[in-house]
């Protein structure tokens, strides 16, 4: 039904956070976190219609040529789908708080450090009250003016966007969807979500000296093996360095205990 309704707000010069969310939900008709296939075609058609109405269209190019050019520009990881963070680059959003987030955490390392700071109870989730503090600091750092009402709107919008199971809190992989695609190292490991038994076996195996935590060298070996098993190709040194640095941002003085590594590698934080 959603894709038969009148497409919302694409004609506007600037969108509110709530309008952006409405557009996302309208076109991500199956709710899988991507605009793809027929959804993507519908989105592009309606965006072209809105641009034509605003006098922004280039009439000489064919639909397929325009769509190919559009995807080359915005589909950063070339997977043929549009993610929410990519959509934020396409549509002009008021305050653009999604892009504002990126200014605040421009790399996966900064993101993990921010996660450690705001997941205050080490639950593996950021809950609504923690998220509000996170967004407040984000807006202050970006020198954006806001009031309590606007902060509440942003908090609720972020929860509606990324709280996929509706439990009022965000897991690490949900929140990481705000990162630029090329920085979202968690996408590289999304096929490696472990249960308790698998995680315990892996932690014991890579904790070579049995001291109860993983250090940088042990983490290198773990990441390299997991990546190559999941991606079916060898990990380059630059990627390994980036992933290690990001994950070690969660550590306690260079010591990555079970609780921190669970957040990255498990389907749900273990009890």
């Amino acid at each position: 039904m959603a894709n038969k309704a009148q497409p919302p707000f694409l004609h506007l010069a600037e969108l509110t956070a709530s309008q952006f969310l409405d557009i996302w939900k309208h076109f991500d008709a199956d709710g899988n976190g991507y605009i793809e296939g027929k959804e993507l075609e519908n989105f592009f058609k309606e965006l072209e219609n809105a641009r034509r109405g605003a006098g922004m269209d280039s009439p000489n190019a064919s639909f397929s040529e325009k769509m190919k050019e559009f995807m080359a520009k915005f589909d950063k990881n070339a997977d043929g789908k549009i993610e929410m963070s990519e959509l934020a680059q396409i549509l002009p959003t008021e305050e653009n708080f999604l892009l504002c987030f990126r200014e605040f955490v421009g790399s996966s390392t900064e993101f993990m450090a921010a996660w450690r700071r705001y997941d205050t109870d080490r639950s593996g989730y950021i809950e609504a009250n923690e998220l509000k503090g996170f967004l407040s600091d984000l807006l202050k750092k970006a020198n954006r003016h806001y009031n309590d009402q606007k902060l509440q709107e942003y908090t609720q919008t972020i929860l509606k966007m990324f709280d996929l199971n509706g439990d009022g809190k965000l897991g690490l992989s949900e929140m990481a969807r705000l990162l630029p695609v090329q920085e979202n190292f968690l996408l590289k490991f999304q096929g490696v979500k472990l249960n308790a038994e698998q995680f315990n076996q892996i932690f014991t195996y890579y904790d070579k000296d049995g001291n109860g935590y993983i250090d940088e060298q042990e983490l290198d070996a773990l990441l390299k093996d997991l990546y190559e098993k999941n991606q079916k190709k060898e990990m380059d040194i630059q990627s390994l360095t980036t992933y290690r640095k990001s994950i070690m941002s969660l550590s306690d003085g260079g010591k990555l205990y079970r609780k921190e590594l669970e957040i990255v590698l498990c389907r749900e934080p273990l009890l």
Side-chain angles (χ1 to χ4, degrees):
M1 291 294 292
N3 59 355
K4 292 182 181 177
Q6 184 66 24
F9 311 125
L10 286 177
H11 63 288
L12 297 179
E14 186 176 78
L15 303 169
T16 66
S18 299
Q19 288 166 340
F20 178 90
L21 177 60
D22 285 344
I23 288 175
W24 178 261
K25 287 189 169 178
H26 177 85
F27 288 104
D28 179 21
D30 58 5
N32 71 345
Y34 299 98
I35 297 175
E36 59 185 332
K38 193 68 178 173
E39 297 168 340
L40 182 58
E41 198 174 307
N42 290 339
F43 170 72
F44 187 70
K45 279 179 183 172
E46 297 302 342
L47 185 63
E48 284 293 290
N49 289 340
R51 287 177 169 178
R52 193 176 297 120
M56 297 166 60
D57 188 36
S58 52
N60 295 327
S62 70
F63 179 83
S64 61
E65 286 170 344
K66 289 181 194 172
M67 189 158 179
K68 189 175 179 182
E69 183 183 333
F70 173 84
M71 291 302 286
K73 184 176 180 181
F74 294 109
D75 181 20
K76 301 297 185 185
N77 60 348
D79 63 356
K81 304 183 277 195
I82 293 294
E83 301 174 24
M84 189 174 289
S85 58
E86 291 168 331
L87 187 66
Q89 301 282 350
I90 300 166
L91 301 177
T93 307
E94 167 217 40
E95 298 274 10
N96 209 330
F97 72 107
L98 291 174
L99 298 182
C100 175
F101 176 95
R102 294 198 180 174
E103 291 167 17
F104 184 57
V105 283
S107 73
S108 54
T109 303
E110 291 174 1
F111 171 79
M112 297 296 264
W115 180 274
R116 181 175 171 80
R117 194 158 59 248
Y118 289 95
D119 179 18
T120 51
D121 55 3
R122 295 290 178 269
S123 65
Y125 296 96
I126 289 183
E127 296 171 34
N129 60 326
E130 295 168 331
L131 177 61
K132 202 168 183 178
F134 179 88
L135 292 175
S136 175
D137 282 2
L138 181 161
L139 292 164
K140 284 175 189 169
K141 187 164 182 176
N143 292 318
R144 302 295 175 100
H145 298 291
Y146 67 93
N147 54 30
D148 285 342
Q149 182 180 350
K150 186 61 71 177
L151 181 61
Q152 186 64 28
E153 182 195 341
Y154 288 166
T155 303
Q156 290 307 310
T157 301
I158 290 279
L159 279 172
K160 285 176 187 172
M161 283 179 175
F162 297 108
D163 179 18
L164 301 181
N165 60 1
D167 62 0
K169 52 191 180 182
L170 298 175
L172 182 68
S173 58
E174 292 172 320
M175 195 71 173
R177 290 171 63 202
L178 276 166
L179 280 168
V181 172
Q182 62 272 27
E183 280 288 345
N184 192 346
F185 72 97
L186 290 170
L187 290 174
K188 303 291 189 296
F189 294 95
Q190 62 186 357
V192 188
K193 288 298 179 186
L194 309 174
N195 60 32
E197 183 180 356
Q198 292 167 329
F199 176 80
N200 287 329
Q201 286 175 349
I202 282 178
F203 192 94
T204 301
Y205 178 81
Y206 287 96
D207 179 19
K208 297 293 186 186
D209 51 12
N211 59 8
Y213 61 84
I214 300 284
D215 62 27
E216 287 195 358
Q217 290 174 317
E218 292 166 338
L219 182 62
D220 276 358
L222 186 158
L223 289 178
K224 196 168 186 300
D225 290 350
L226 277 182
Y227 178 89
E228 289 170 8
K229 184 179 178 182
N230 188 40
Q231 298 288 320
K232 311 295 187 205
K233 60 183 179 182
E234 198 168 321
M235 179 186 277
D236 61 85
I237 296 298
Q238 185 178 353
S239 295
L240 181 60
T241 303
T242 301
Y243 300 156
R244 182 215 308 132
K245 192 176 177 185
S246 299
I247 294 173
M248 288 307 289
S249 300
L250 286 173
S251 73
D252 183 5
K255 299 175 181 179
L256 197 65
Y257 291 96
R258 286 175 181 267
K259 193 72 179 169
E260 284 79 30
L261 197 57
E262 282 171 17
I263 293 171
V264 178
L265 295 182
C266 294
R267 292 186 181 93
E268 298 286 343
L270 308 177
L271 298 177

